[in-house]
Amino acid sequence: MKISFKTTGPSQGRSGRFKRRSRSLSQSSTDSYSSGSYSGSSSDEDDVSPREKVQYNSKNFKDFCVRNIKQAAFGRREIEIAEQEMPGLMLLRKRAEGEKPLKGAKIIGCTHITAQAAVLIETLHALGANVRWSACNIYSTQNEVAAALAEAGFPIFAWRGETEDDFWWCIERCILSDDWQPNMILDDGGDATHMMLKKCPETFKLIKGIVEESVTGVHRLYQLSKSNKLSVPAMNVNDSVTKVKFDNLYCCRESILDALKRTTDIMFGGKQVVVIGYGEVGKGCCAALKGLGAIVYITEIDPICALQACMDGFRVVKLDEVVRIADVIITASGNKNVVTRQHLDRMKNGCIVCNMGHSNTEIDVDSLRTPDLTWEKVRSQVDHIIWPDGKRILLLAQGRLVNWSCSTVPSFVVSITATTQALALIELFNAPQGRYKKDVYLLPKKLDEYVASLHLPAFDAHLTELTDEQAKYIGLNKAGPFKPNYYRY
């Protein structure tokens, strides 16, 4: 794809026993238990459902549903902080704002609504798009940020702690709006795509493209494609190189320590830690833990990943071999029930158990909800599970994503993901008819490289340019792409 954005310099602006809580049955909406960004000023003291309120912003706009529009000023400050750490997305906004590459795009968005997502929403608007937005997760919305977006005139339908009915109502409000027919979908988990296909099948056929960024959502898209139910092209940005490396490897390398420190005050030196899975997430976790002096063990099913772990200096074991000595057990496999009740019964007193995998299926938490065990809340997102003999383990975030639930996800990482989403939307919206069929595609390599290049100025990094002779010798265009699609970074 030819990228024709006008180039400028780098952007300068820049409680008690466990109680079961109702939650959406959507897989994506329950992937994390609470906010993936700081939400200390979010307030749930108002028990009146936002759906029962009639609220207006300062310009008499009311096409939104948030917890409290009066929190908008706080949300705007959080958005401004996020902008400072999202250099790539801000630079894309600066370069492309004049061309309006998304002029005419009407985008349904269904993602986490955080300060970082707000930067993306406002960038898409600056590039010419009209948007309507709901949350992909019932716990991750920052109420003050949703208020700030509503104050800015965006149709936002989201608040922290939605019920299952609220969750689907919000998505429906985005899709079914008078005098507004969507032509693009930006999804995180596939729920907006699912509802539109179910509720508005004829309108769905008119969609120019879907951009999906989650494992769950991408899996759903491939299922639709396989069953010949996908009638529009879709872009899988979850597996783009920049997204995989930053969202999985580099982000997890930082956020695993953040989450464990905040919840347990643990000191890592000398602790025996088991990491289940040595993919990109596992690699990031292990690098951080090793750097602080932890003794790290790996469990793996893949011989290539296992060999990598060995070469990186880790012991590869079966969980049964080390479960009795582990101080911390971290799941990062993306699979189901890799930690079972049998494993939990054999853990030592005080063992910390948490999940860094893609959903809440890795630890068999349901097996712990039995009459013989006692749940005792220690602090937010931390529970003691107490056995009859007095042994207790610490379970974090009830087995949900611990970095989204118990720490903050760095804005710089979200900048990578959000820039990838924006470029995918631009590509699908502007693609000539016939370039993309009714199938699922990966982000073109050229755009993947462009995402990286937009973030290099933040590091004052200077790329070397190929000479004509060098480019000819290795058979590359001097402007890239620089690696074939089969290259493994």
Side-chain angles (χ1 to χ4, degrees):
M1 172 190 173
K2 181 180 178 183
I3 299 169
S4 60
F5 305 143
K6 183 191 224 176
T7 302
T8 63
S11 173
Q12 300 299 314
R14 315 235 251 191
S15 55
R17 284 278 184 94
F18 167 78
K19 294 182 180 180
R20 187 180 298 273
R21 299 177 64 177
S22 63
R23 57 184 184 271
S24 167
L25 298 180
S26 157
Q27 178 68 59
S28 62
S29 74
T30 58
D31 272 358
S32 60
Y33 187 75
S34 68
S35 178
S37 185
Y38 176 74
S39 55
S41 57
S42 290
S43 176
D44 295 321
E45 76 280 354
D46 186 354
D47 291 332
V48 178
S49 169
R51 291 169 61 177
E52 299 176 17
K53 301 177 183 178
V54 178
Q55 300 184 78
Y56 296 85
N57 71 3
S58 61
K59 296 180 181 178
N60 220 34
F61 174 76
K62 67 173 184 177
D63 189 17
F64 63 86
C65 191
V66 300
R67 175 66 68 183
N68 186 353
I69 189 66
K70 294 179 181 179
Q71 295 179 331
F74 294 103
R76 179 52 55 187
R77 292 166 199 160
E78 293 200 23
I79 295 169
E80 289 168 353
I81 292 174
E83 288 177 346
Q84 300 298 316
E85 272 292 297
M86 301 183 74
L89 191 62
M90 296 302 290
L91 183 53
L92 174 64
R93 184 191 297 188
K94 187 175 182 179
R95 288 185 178 183
E97 189 169 10
E99 293 187 18
K100 303 292 186 200
L102 288 174
K103 184 178 181 180
K106 296 183 177 180
I107 303 170
I108 292 173
C110 185
T111 68
H112 298 281
I113 297 184
T114 61
Q116 296 81 12
V119 180
L120 171 60
I121 290 169
E122 295 188 338
T123 296
L124 296 177
H125 176 72
L127 302 188
N130 288 321
V131 306
R132 297 180 69 83
W133 223 269
S134 63
C136 71
N137 186 291
I138 61 177
Y139 295 118
S140 67
T141 296
Q142 290 177 266
N143 287 333
E144 61 276 16
V145 170
L149 289 168
E151 173 60 32
F154 292 101
I156 300 295
F157 303 88
W159 58 93
R160 186 180 177 91
E162 296 169 0
T163 65
E164 177 189 345
D165 183 61
D166 293 335
F167 176 79
W168 293 110
W169 179 86
C170 287
I171 296 176
E172 189 170 344
R173 282 295 302 271
C174 286
I175 295 172
L176 303 177
S177 175
D178 295 337
D179 303 321
W180 197 87
Q181 183 170 294
N183 54 26
M184 299 291 292
I185 298 175
L186 176 55
D187 223 347
D188 184 341
D191 292 313
T193 301
H194 169 77
M195 173 164 276
M196 191 164 183
L197 184 58
K198 179 181 178 181
K199 293 268 187 180
C200 312
E202 294 306 313
T203 302
F204 184 82
K205 294 176 182 178
L206 302 176
I207 294 291
K208 296 191 69 173
I210 301 167
V211 174
E212 172 59 60
E213 75 133 343
S214 76
V215 171
T216 303
V218 167
H219 178 64
R220 287 176 166 184
L221 285 175
Y222 282 121
Q223 285 181 321
L224 287 173
S225 179
K226 189 175 180 180
S227 60
N228 295 317
K229 294 179 181 178
L230 185 64
S231 56
V232 300
M235 193 78 76
N236 164 14
V237 299
N238 178 70
D239 293 309
S240 62
V241 175
T242 44
K243 201 271 186 185
V244 167
K245 291 295 180 182
F246 276 83
D247 218 21
N248 296 349
L249 177 62
Y250 302 126
C251 175
C252 294
R253 190 171 68 184
E254 298 196 18
S255 60
I256 182 60
L257 301 182
D258 187 14
L260 286 169
K261 285 284 189 183
R262 290 188 194 215
T263 51
T264 67
D265 308 311
I266 188 175
M267 189 170 187
F268 293 99
K271 292 295 191 299
Q272 310 237 30
V273 183
V274 181
V275 177
I276 300 176
Y278 201 66
E280 295 297 309
V281 172
K283 288 180 175 72
C285 293
C286 291
L289 293 162
K290 183 179 181 180
L292 289 184
I295 302 164
V296 183
Y297 301 90
I298 307 297
T299 76
E300 251 302 338
I301 61 168
D302 186 328
I304 296 176
C305 292
L307 184 58
Q308 287 179 307
C310 291
M311 295 301 294
D312 290 338
F314 300 112
R315 282 278 315 277
V316 178
V317 299
K318 294 181 178 180
L319 181 56
D320 286 336
E321 298 169 359
V322 293
V323 68
R324 290 186 183 277
I325 65 170
D327 297 299
V328 183
I329 294 178
I330 302 167
T331 59
S333 72
N335 210 324
K336 182 178 182 180
N337 291 344
V338 294
V339 174
T340 66
R341 174 64 187 265
Q342 289 71 30
H343 294 128
L344 294 156
D345 284 340
R346 296 175 59 201
M347 291 176 190
K348 71 179 185 181
N349 184 54
C351 183
I352 300 167
V353 186
C354 65
N355 170 41
M356 286 286 286
H358 76 90
S359 68
N360 61 332
T361 61
E362 304 214 15
I363 303 165
D364 187 6
V365 176
D366 286 342
S367 70
L368 296 174
R369 297 186 175 116
T370 55
D372 60 317
L373 301 183
T374 302
W375 286 66
E376 179 182 81
K377 183 174 181 178
V378 181
R379 55 173 70 158
S380 178
Q381 308 293 359
V382 182
D383 288 292
H384 272 147
I385 314 300
I386 306 171
W387 269 252
D389 63 358
K391 183 195 87 169
R392 60 184 63 199
I393 65 168
L394 276 80
L395 179 65
L396 306 185
Q398 296 183 31
R400 302 187 183 280
L401 290 170
V402 73
N403 58 340
W404 275 97
S405 302
C406 304
S407 70
T408 60
V409 175
S411 295
F412 191 90
V413 169
V414 185
S415 181
I416 297 282
T417 301
T419 305
T420 304
Q421 291 170 315
L423 287 172
L425 286 165
I426 292 169
E427 169 69 5
L428 284 176
F429 184 70
N430 293 284
Q433 190 171 4
R435 175 181 289 178
Y436 295 104
K437 312 297 182 183
K438 300 171 183 178
D439 207 347
V440 185
Y441 295 84
L442 291 173
L443 188 74
K445 178 73 69 175
K446 183 68 176 176
L447 294 183
D448 222 342
E449 292 177 348
Y450 189 54
V451 173
S453 71
L454 286 168
H455 290 82
L456 289 176
F459 302 98
D460 193 26
H462 305 272
L463 286 173
T464 300
E465 295 183 11
L466 291 171
T467 66
D468 291 335
E469 181 182 13
Q470 289 170 332
K472 183 178 180 181
Y473 179 74
I474 58 177
L476 288 180
N477 186 310
K478 291 174 66 174
F482 297 98
K483 297 289 188 295
N485 286 330
Y486 57 78
Y487 183 83
R488 294 180 174 90
Y489 290 81

